[in-house]
Amino acid sequence: MVRAESTTTTAIGTSTHAAIKRDELYLNLTVPNLFRCPISMDVMKSPVSLCTGVTYDRASIQKWLSQGHNTCPATMQVLSSTDVTPNLTLRRLIHLYLHHTSTSPAGLSPSSSPSSSLRNSLLSESEALELIKNLSSGDRTSPVTKLVDFVKFSEENRRFIANSVARVSDLVEILRDCEQYEFCDQILLILEFILPENGVKELLNKKILNSDFDYLSKFFWLFRKGNLKSRIASAKILESIAFDADSQRKIAEKQGLLYELYKLSNEETDNAAVEASLSALISISTSRAAKKELVRFGIVKTVGKILSGSYSVRPVIEKALEVLASIATCTEGRVSISEDEGCIHGVIKRLMKCSGAATEHGIMVLWSLCCLARDPTAQNAVIKVNGLTKVLVVMQSDCNPGARQMCGELVKVLRVKNSKSCLASYDTKTTHIMPY
């Protein structure tokens, strides 16, 4: 019976995927060339024009310009300006055409028409407003997935929602009385999508943290009940609103919330989840009390596994080392790191292997242990894995002056501690250590 259900679920998933592919193929075959991006040849979601007058999809042209090109891809003219202008007229024409096609595709059976996801993304702005109004009034019959698809579709759609205080406030208000976590998951995804827009973080800070309703309890509930995507969204939202000491304190002191963020970094193997949770912990855990709590939870062991393991995702490594550097600013954190030899080995392992920022965070951790705390256990652990050589390599690299100074102090301490080493008489003016 279980096998039959599993087979059925797989078949449904495969069928849905095939239907989406069929929709995309149908659109690619029928959409006029005017609506296609000259770079990707796909239907433009957010058409923008260069100074040459040629229109491209925003994502495609921004990628082209970010690679250092200063020409128009279609005409190869040198650009006098790399600014882009939204082509609102063409965008509206594309929407009208796709909406008409999705509702009455000539010569196609209903099963061949574009998917509901595509139709949802083609909601007009007035329809999106009406949907928000219905949702905020308690009408849960309107599928919130329509609004999710709408904000996912284009930057202009996200900006339309974000540019109104009332719309953003209404979305947050929906969480107040909602007891269906599957429904709340969708609202969180919408809020996550509009986070980068101007003013949204400040508005969410005011609405969530300075309201007569305890929204943080709702976030705690969603961490416990929601799916992985909504927990990632929750972590990103909490990080975004923790931009001052008062906000950080309120979030950190909310019973159980800090632990749920920690669990997200410790229990999930999804890189996006680990990065989101570590990033949130960095923003929120700025007080000594919060750092002590993280140490008590076991954050040092968690980060040590990340650093000494096979993780290769740069943002995850950077965030892991930044968390450790933050924890190392309190006594309890330094003691915990010193007692975890594997964590120290992981820090040494990642020096010069990820990014300049990651290396500087790692040097900060080693300096805090070996120079600030003068911990002999930590000093021995660093020497044991040839840490002195790695510090010398960093010292000779293009690091910032602060990191270079910490490297110099580390060299002095470790050189004395390891007097039998051939590097004991190291002189930066005459000796050079090649990176490895």
Side-chain angles (χ1 to χ4, degrees), residues 163-176:
N163 280 349
S164 169
V165 173
R167 292 168 205 148
V168 179
S169 296
D170 284 345
L171 288 171
V172 178
E173 285 283 344
I174 292 171
L175 297 174
R176 180 192 287 260

Side-chain angles (χ1 to χ4, degrees), residues 175-235:
L175 297 174
R176 180 192 287 260
D177 302 317
C178 180
E179 297 299 329
Q180 298 173 312
Y181 57 83
E182 297 92 345
F183 189 89
C184 292
D185 287 342
Q186 301 296 313
I187 299 298
L188 286 177
L189 292 179
I190 296 170
L191 293 175
E192 180 192 355
F193 272 111
I194 65 174
L195 268 179
E197 302 301 327
N198 290 335
V200 172
K201 295 177 182 179
E202 291 76 12
L203 181 56
L204 289 179
N205 174 285
K206 182 178 180 180
K207 188 69 179 177
I208 294 173
L209 298 179
N210 297 285
S211 171
D212 58 351
F213 181 76
D214 185 8
Y215 283 103
L216 290 181
S217 291
K218 181 67 72 170
F219 274 86
F220 174 72
W221 176 70
L222 287 167
F223 268 115
R224 299 293 297 271
K225 298 289 187 178
N227 58 36
L228 180 58
K229 284 186 177 181
S230 70
R231 281 181 280 160
I232 293 174
S234 297

Side-chain angles (χ1 to χ4, degrees), residues 29-60:
L29 290 174
T30 61
V31 171
N33 288 333
L34 177 65
F35 297 164
R36 300 176 186 273
C37 173
I39 297 176
S40 66
M41 297 308 294
D42 292 330
V43 181
M44 288 186 279
K45 295 181 178 180
S46 179
V48 294
S49 300
L50 290 177
C51 59
T52 58
V54 182
T55 299
Y56 302 90
D57 188 61
R58 184 185 293 274
S60 297

Side-chain angles (χ1 to χ4, degrees), residues 379-421:
Q379 293 171 353
N380 289 330
V382 172
I383 292 170
K384 184 177 178 180
V385 289
N386 203 22
L388 176 56
T389 302
K390 293 294 289 283
V391 171
L392 290 170
V393 172
V394 176
M395 189 176 182
Q396 295 176 154
S397 69
D398 187 25
C399 59
N400 67 45
R404 185 172 289 108
Q405 181 178 345
M406 285 189 283
C407 285
E409 294 179 21
L410 279 166
V411 168
K412 292 178 182 178
V413 170
L414 297 176
R415 183 175 60 186
V416 171
K417 189 76 176 179
N418 192 26
S419 57
K420 295 182 180 181
S421 169

